[in-house]
Coordinates of all heavy atoms in Angstrom, one line a residue:
L323 N -54.7 -11.6 -18.0 CA -55.8 -12.2 -18.8 C -56.2 -11.3 -20.0 O -56.4 -11.8 -21.1 CB -57.0 -12.4 -17.9 CG -56.9 -13.4 -16.7 CD1 -58.2 -13.5 -16.0 CD2 -56.4 -14.7 -17.2
E324 N -56.2 -10.0 -19.8 CA -56.5 -9.1 -20.8 C -55.5 -9.2 -22.0 O -55.8 -9.1 -23.1 CB -56.7 -7.7 -20.3 CG -57.9 -7.6 -19.3 CD -58.0 -6.2 -18.6 OE1 -57.0 -5.5 -18.7 OE2 -59.0 -5.9 -18.1
A325 N -54.2 -9.3 -21.6 CA -53.1 -9.4 -22.6 C -53.3 -10.7 -23.3 O -53.2 -10.7 -24.6 CB -51.8 -9.3 -21.9
M326 N -53.5 -11.8 -22.6 CA -53.6 -13.1 -23.3 C -54.8 -13.1 -24.2 O -54.8 -13.7 -25.3 CB -53.7 -14.2 -22.2 CG -52.4 -14.4 -21.5 SD -52.6 -15.2 -19.8 CE -53.3 -16.8 -20.3
A327 N -55.9 -12.4 -23.8 CA -57.1 -12.4 -24.7 C -56.8 -11.6 -25.9 O -57.5 -11.8 -27.0 CB -58.2 -11.7 -23.9
C328 N -55.8 -10.8 -25.9 CA -55.4 -10.0 -27.1 C -54.3 -10.7 -27.9 O -53.7 -10.2 -28.9 CB -54.9 -8.6 -26.7 SG -56.3 -7.6 -26.1
G329 N -54.0 -11.9 -27.5 CA -53.0 -12.7 -28.2 C -51.5 -12.3 -27.9 O -50.6 -12.6 -28.7
V330 N -51.3 -11.6 -26.8 CA -50.0 -11.1 -26.5 C -49.4 -11.9 -25.4 O -50.0 -12.2 -24.3 CB -50.1 -9.6 -26.0 CG1 -48.7 -9.0 -25.7 CG2 -50.8 -8.8 -27.1
P331 N -48.1 -12.4 -25.5 CA -47.5 -13.1 -24.5 C -47.2 -12.3 -23.2 O -47.1 -11.1 -23.3 CB -46.1 -13.6 -25.1 CG -45.9 -12.7 -26.2 CD -47.2 -12.2 -26.7
V332 N -47.2 -12.9 -22.1 CA -47.1 -12.2 -20.8 C -45.8 -12.7 -20.1 O -45.5 -13.9 -20.0 CB -48.3 -12.5 -19.9 CG1 -48.1 -11.8 -18.5 CG2 -49.6 -12.0 -20.5
I333 N -45.0 -11.8 -19.6 CA -43.9 -12.1 -18.8 C -44.3 -11.7 -17.4 O -44.6 -10.5 -17.1 CB -42.6 -11.3 -19.3 CG1 -42.2 -11.7 -20.7 CG2 -41.5 -11.5 -18.3 CD1 -41.2 -10.8 -21.3
A334 N -44.3 -12.6 -16.5 CA -44.9 -12.4 -15.2 C -44.0 -13.0 -14.1 O -43.3 -14.0 -14.3 CB -46.2 -13.0 -15.1
T335 N -43.9 -12.3 -12.9 CA -43.2 -12.8 -11.8 C -44.1 -14.0 -11.3 O -45.3 -14.0 -11.3 CB -43.1 -11.8 -10.7 OG1 -44.3 -11.1 -10.5 CG2 -42.0 -10.8 -11.0
A336 N -43.4 -15.0 -10.8 CA -44.0 -16.3 -10.3 C -44.5 -16.1 -8.9 O -43.9 -16.6 -7.9 CB -43.0 -17.4 -10.4
V337 N -45.6 -15.3 -8.8 CA -46.1 -15.0 -7.4 C -47.7 -15.1 -7.5 O -48.2 -14.8 -8.6 CB -45.7 -13.6 -6.9 CG1 -44.2 -13.6 -6.7 CG2 -46.1 -12.5 -7.8
G338 N -48.3 -15.4 -6.4 CA -49.7 -15.3 -6.3 C -50.5 -15.9 -7.4 O -50.2 -17.0 -7.9
G339 N -51.5 -15.2 -7.9 CA -52.4 -15.7 -8.9 C -51.7 -15.8 -10.3 O -52.2 -16.5 -11.2
L340 N -50.6 -15.1 -10.5 CA -49.9 -15.1 -11.8 C -49.3 -16.5 -12.0 O -49.1 -16.9 -13.2 CB -48.7 -14.1 -11.8 CG -49.1 -12.6 -11.5 CD1 -47.9 -11.7 -11.6 CD2 -50.2 -12.2 -12.5
I341 N -49.1 -17.3 -11.0 CA -48.6 -18.7 -11.2 C -49.7 -19.5 -11.9 O -49.4 -20.4 -12.7 CB -48.3 -19.3 -9.8 CG1 -47.1 -18.5 -9.1 CG2 -47.9 -20.8 -10.0 CD1 -46.8 -18.9 -7.7
D342 N -51.0 -19.2 -11.6 CA -52.1 -20.0 -12.2 C -52.4 -19.5 -13.6 O -52.6 -20.3 -14.5 CB -53.3 -19.8 -11.3 CG -53.3 -20.6 -10.0 OD1 -52.3 -21.3 -9.8 OD2 -54.2 -20.5 -9.2
T343 N -52.5 -18.2 -13.8 CA -52.9 -17.7 -15.1 C -51.9 -17.8 -16.2 O -52.3 -18.2 -17.3 CB -53.3 -16.2 -15.0 OG1 -52.3 -15.5 -14.4 CG2 -54.6 -16.0 -14.1
V344 N -50.7 -17.5 -15.9 CA -49.6 -17.6 -16.9 C -48.9 -18.9 -16.8 O -48.3 -19.2 -15.8 CB -48.6 -16.4 -16.8 CG1 -47.5 -16.5 -17.8 CG2 -49.3 -15.1 -16.8
V345 N -49.0 -19.8 -17.8 CA -48.3 -21.1 -17.8 C -46.9 -20.9 -18.4 O -46.8 -20.6 -19.6 CB -49.1 -22.1 -18.6 CG1 -48.4 -23.5 -18.6 CG2 -50.5 -22.2 -18.1
D346 N -45.9 -21.1 -17.6 CA -44.5 -20.8 -18.0 C -44.1 -21.7 -19.2 O -44.3 -22.9 -19.2 CB -43.6 -21.1 -16.8 CG -42.1 -20.7 -17.1 OD1 -41.9 -19.7 -17.8 OD2 -41.2 -21.4 -16.6
G347 N -43.7 -21.0 -20.3 CA -43.2 -21.7 -21.5 C -44.3 -22.1 -22.4 O -44.1 -22.6 -23.5
Q348 N -45.6 -21.8 -22.0 CA -46.7 -22.1 -22.9 C -47.5 -20.9 -23.3 O -47.9 -20.7 -24.5 CB -47.6 -23.2 -22.2 CG -47.0 -24.5 -22.0 CD -47.9 -25.5 -21.4 OE1 -49.1 -25.5 -21.6 NE2 -47.4 -26.4 -20.6
T349 N -47.9 -20.1 -22.3 CA -48.6 -18.9 -22.6 C -47.8 -17.6 -22.3 O -48.3 -16.5 -22.5 CB -50.0 -18.8 -21.8 OG1 -49.7 -18.6 -20.4 CG2 -50.8 -20.1 -22.0
G350 N -46.7 -17.8 -21.8 CA -45.8 -16.7 -21.4 C -44.6 -17.2 -20.6 O -44.3 -18.4 -20.7
L351 N -43.9 -16.3 -19.9 CA -42.7 -16.7 -19.2 C -42.8 -16.2 -17.8 O -43.2 -15.1 -17.5 CB -41.5 -16.1 -19.9 CG -41.2 -16.5 -21.4 CD1 -40.1 -15.6 -22.0 CD2 -40.9 -18.0 -21.5
H352 N -42.3 -17.1 -16.9 CA -42.2 -16.7 -15.5 C -40.8 -16.3 -15.2 O -39.8 -16.8 -15.7 CB -42.5 -17.9 -14.6 CG -44.0 -18.2 -14.5 ND1 -44.5 -19.4 -13.8 CD2 -45.1 -17.5 -14.9 CE1 -45.8 -19.4 -13.9 NE2 -46.2 -18.3 -14.5
V353 N -40.7 -15.3 -14.3 CA -39.4 -14.9 -13.8 C -39.5 -14.7 -12.2 O -40.6 -14.5 -11.7 CB -39.0 -13.5 -14.4 CG1 -38.7 -13.6 -15.9 CG2 -40.0 -12.4 -14.1
P354 N -38.4 -14.9 -11.5 CA -38.4 -14.7 -10.1 C -38.7 -13.2 -9.8 O -38.4 -12.3 -10.5 CB -37.0 -15.1 -9.6 CG -36.4 -15.9 -10.7 CD -37.1 -15.3 -12.0
P355 N -39.4 -13.0 -8.6 CA -39.7 -11.6 -8.3 C -38.4 -10.8 -8.0 O -37.4 -11.3 -7.5 CB -40.6 -11.7 -7.0 CG -40.3 -13.1 -6.5 CD -40.0 -13.9 -7.7
R356 N -38.4 -9.5 -8.4 CA -37.3 -8.6 -8.2 C -36.0 -9.0 -8.8 O -34.9 -8.6 -8.4 CB -37.1 -8.3 -6.7 CG -38.4 -7.9 -5.9 CD -38.0 -7.3 -4.6 NE -39.2 -7.3 -3.7 CZ -39.3 -6.5 -2.7 NH1 -38.4 -5.6 -2.5 NH2 -40.4 -6.6 -1.9
D357 N -36.1 -9.8 -9.9 CA -34.9 -10.3 -10.6 C -34.8 -9.6 -11.9 O -35.4 -10.0 -12.9 CB -35.0 -11.8 -10.8 CG -33.6 -12.4 -11.3 OD1 -32.9 -11.7 -12.0 OD2 -33.4 -13.6 -11.0
V358 N -34.0 -8.5 -12.0 CA -33.9 -7.7 -13.2 C -33.3 -8.4 -14.3 O -33.7 -8.3 -15.5 CB -33.2 -6.3 -12.9 CG1 -33.1 -5.5 -14.2 CG2 -34.0 -5.5 -11.9
D359 N -32.2 -9.2 -14.0 CA -31.5 -10.0 -15.0 C -32.5 -11.0 -15.7 O -32.5 -11.1 -17.0 CB -30.4 -10.8 -14.4 CG -29.2 -9.9 -13.9 OD1 -29.1 -8.8 -14.5 OD2 -28.5 -10.3 -13.0
A360 N -33.3 -11.7 -14.9 CA -34.2 -12.6 -15.5 C -35.3 -11.9 -16.3 O -35.7 -12.4 -17.4 CB -34.9 -13.4 -14.4
L361 N -35.7 -10.8 -15.9 CA -36.7 -10.0 -16.6 C -36.2 -9.6 -18.0 O -36.8 -9.7 -19.0 CB -37.1 -8.8 -15.8 CG -38.3 -8.0 -16.1 CD1 -39.6 -8.9 -16.2 CD2 -38.6 -6.9 -15.2
A362 N -34.9 -9.0 -18.0 CA -34.3 -8.6 -19.2 C -34.1 -9.8 -20.2 O -34.4 -9.7 -21.4 CB -33.0 -7.9 -19.0
D363 N -33.7 -10.9 -19.6 CA -33.5 -12.1 -20.5 C -34.8 -12.6 -21.1 O -34.9 -13.0 -22.2 CB -32.9 -13.2 -19.6 CG -32.6 -14.4 -20.4 OD1 -31.8 -14.3 -21.4 OD2 -33.1 -15.5 -20.2
A364 N -35.9 -12.5 -20.3 CA -37.2 -13.0 -20.8 C -37.7 -12.0 -22.0 O -38.2 -12.5 -23.0 CB -38.3 -13.0 -19.7
V365 N -37.5 -10.7 -21.8 CA -37.9 -9.8 -22.9 C -37.1 -10.1 -24.1 O -37.6 -10.1 -25.2 CB -37.7 -8.3 -22.4 CG1 -37.9 -7.4 -23.6 CG2 -38.6 -8.0 -21.3
R366 N -35.8 -10.4 -23.9 CA -34.9 -10.7 -25.0 C -35.4 -11.9 -25.8 O -35.3 -12.0 -27.0 CB -33.5 -10.8 -24.5 CG -32.4 -10.9 -25.7 CD -31.0 -11.0 -25.1 NE -30.6 -9.9 -24.3 CZ -30.5 -9.9 -23.0 NH1 -30.8 -11.0 -22.3 NH2 -30.2 -8.8 -22.3
Q367 N -35.8 -12.9 -25.0 CA -36.3 -14.1 -25.7 C -37.5 -13.8 -26.6 O -37.6 -14.4 -27.7 CB -36.7 -15.2 -24.6 CG -35.6 -15.8 -23.9 CD -36.1 -16.8 -22.9 OE1 -36.8 -17.8 -23.2 NE2 -35.7 -16.7 -21.6
V368 N -38.4 -13.0 -26.1 CA -39.6 -12.7 -26.9 C -39.3 -11.9 -28.1 O -39.8 -12.2 -29.2 CB -40.6 -11.9 -26.0 CG1 -41.7 -11.3 -26.8 CG2 -41.1 -12.8 -24.9

Side-chain angles (χ1 to χ4, degrees):
L323 297 181
E324 295 173 345
M326 290 159 63
C328 291
V330 180
V332 178
I333 298 171
T335 47
V337 296
L340 302 181
I341 298 172
D342 289 356
T343 53
V344 180
V345 182
D346 187 34
Q348 295 184 30
T349 68
L351 300 173
H352 283 171
V353 295
R356 307 197 199 205
D357 190 332
V358 178
D359 290 336
L361 195 56
D363 184 61
V365 174
R366 191 179 297 104
Q367 289 182 54
V368 169

